């Protein structure tokens, strides 16, 4: 049994659900039941076969609506492993640090290419950090205070999953000086990120090795799953860039969140419209059960 969830807070209608059911039937998916998760916000349609066809016929068919298609079993996840920059926070921290150094366009271009998979992540990170050599260490705290905002829905997503017995890990190709406070503010159990090297109060232009990249993210997912005694279907991974692909492809529900094209094309689920609470609806959890503080 499979579930297709339509998520469009404040915009979803009964007509949309009927149209989705018709599309599933025409694709040979044999729809069975429909049910609201929250009236006007999110609804489930269950069906028996052909999940790939279901995603094909539903995605893009309803304006400003996110579609998640997945097996019904283990729908509610017990582990979330998440990227930080542009996923759990609204910015790329290294680009914002670069702004204080007056070189944001130069570094942001490298960041964008790396996230699109056009550059090897580790080499691209080394190149960007090298350009920050000599930057005053105090800028990190200013950047954290003035530029870093938590992504809408992040706290509700993580705190709700934890309240229901889940575990949450933030694993970032960014930096510990941002990841540690961000993880604490959102409610993650722990954070893993890269360490900027500093001498005499200034950035050295180097990052400690080994670099936290794609391999570390995947290994974190697999190791935490084993530690928690979980099967793959009980896990979720969410990110937006190419260095998130490995963990997204191995998780029970791999989510491309407002992601680069290479990630959106490969992920089992794609969130293009809603905030991170969309992933609570994807787990069948209505708003009345969300933990928001």
């Amino acid at each position: 049994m499979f579930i297709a969830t339509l998520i469009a807070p404040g915009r979803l209608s009964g007509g949309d659900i009927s149209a989705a059911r018709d599309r599933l039937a025409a694709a040979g998916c044999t729809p069975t039941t429909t049910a609201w998760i929250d009236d006007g916000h999110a609804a489930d349609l269950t069906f028996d076969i052909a999940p790939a066809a279901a995603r094909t016929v539903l995605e893009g068919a309803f304006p400003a609506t996110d579609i998640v298609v997945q097996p019904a079993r283990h729908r509610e996840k017990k582990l979330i492993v998440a990227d930080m920059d542009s996923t759990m926070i609204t910015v790329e921290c290294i680009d914002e640090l670069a702004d204080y150094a007056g070189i944001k366009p130069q570094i942001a271009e490298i960041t964008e290419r790396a996230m699109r998979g056009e550059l090897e992540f580790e080499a691209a990170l080394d190149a960007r950090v090298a350009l920050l050599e000599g930057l005053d260490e105090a800028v990190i705290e200013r950047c954290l205070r003035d530029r870093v905002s938590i992504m809408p829905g992040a706290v509700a997503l993580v705190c709700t999953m934890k309240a229901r017995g889940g575990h949450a890990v933030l694993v970032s190709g960014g930096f510990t000086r941002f990841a540690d406070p961000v993880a604490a503010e959102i409610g993650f159990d722990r954070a893993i990120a890269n360490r900027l090297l500093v001498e005499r109060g200034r950035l050295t232009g180097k990052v400690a090795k080994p670099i936290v990249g794609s391999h570390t993210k995947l290994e974190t997912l697999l190791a935490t799953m084993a530690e928690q005694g979980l099967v793959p279907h009980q896990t979720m991974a969410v990110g937006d860039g190419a260095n998130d692909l490995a963990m997204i492809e191995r998780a029970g529900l791999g989510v491309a969140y407002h992601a680069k094209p290479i990630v959106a094309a490969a992920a089992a689920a794609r969130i293009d419209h809603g905030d991170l609470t969309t992933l609570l609806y994807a787990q069948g959890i209505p708003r009345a059960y969300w933990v928001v503080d």
Side-chain angles (χ1 to χ4, degrees), residues 80-84 88 168-172 179 182-183 188 190-193:
I80 179 170
V81 178
D83 175 46
M84 181 177 70
M88 289 289 149
V169 182
L170 185 70
V171 57
S172 173
V182 163
F188 282 90
R190 61 190 173 107
I192 299 168

Side-chain angles (χ1 to χ4, degrees), residues 170-193:
L170 185 70
V171 57
S172 173
F175 308 117
T176 55
R177 297 283 291 271
F178 297 98
D180 289 345
V182 163
E185 182 173 353
I186 294 175
F188 282 90
D189 291 290
R190 61 190 173 107
I192 299 168

Side-chain angles (χ1 to χ4, degrees), residues 265-282:
R270 192 174 77 215
I271 306 303
D272 294 329
H273 306 289
D275 66 22
L276 285 166
T277 60
T278 302
L279 298 181
L280 291 173
Y281 281 134

Side-chain angles (χ1 to χ4, degrees), residues 5 25 28 30 44 53-54 90 117 130 171 212-213 217 242 263 269 273 275 280 283:
T5 307
T30 316
D44 285 337
T90 60
V171 57
V212 175
K217 293 187 176 196
V263 185
H273 306 289
D275 66 22
L280 291 173
Q283 296 178 76

Side-chain angles (χ1 to χ4, degrees), residues 84-85 93-98 107 125-141 143 172-180 193-212:
M84 181 177 70
D85 295 72
C93 291
I94 193 166
D95 294 356
E96 300 308 313
L97 285 177
I107 283 188
L125 184 65
D126 274 337
R128 287 175 289 166
V129 172
L131 294 172
L132 298 176
E133 182 179 0
L135 188 66
D136 191 332
E137 179 185 14
V139 166
I140 297 173
E141 291 303 317
C143 184
S172 173
F175 308 117
T176 55
R177 297 283 291 271
F178 297 98
D180 289 345
N194 291 299
R195 185 166 61 89
L196 284 169
L197 299 182
V198 177
E199 289 182 2
R200 294 185 290 276
R202 294 192 177 275
L203 273 63
T204 66
K206 296 179 181 179
V207 61
K209 300 299 191 294
I211 286 176
V212 175

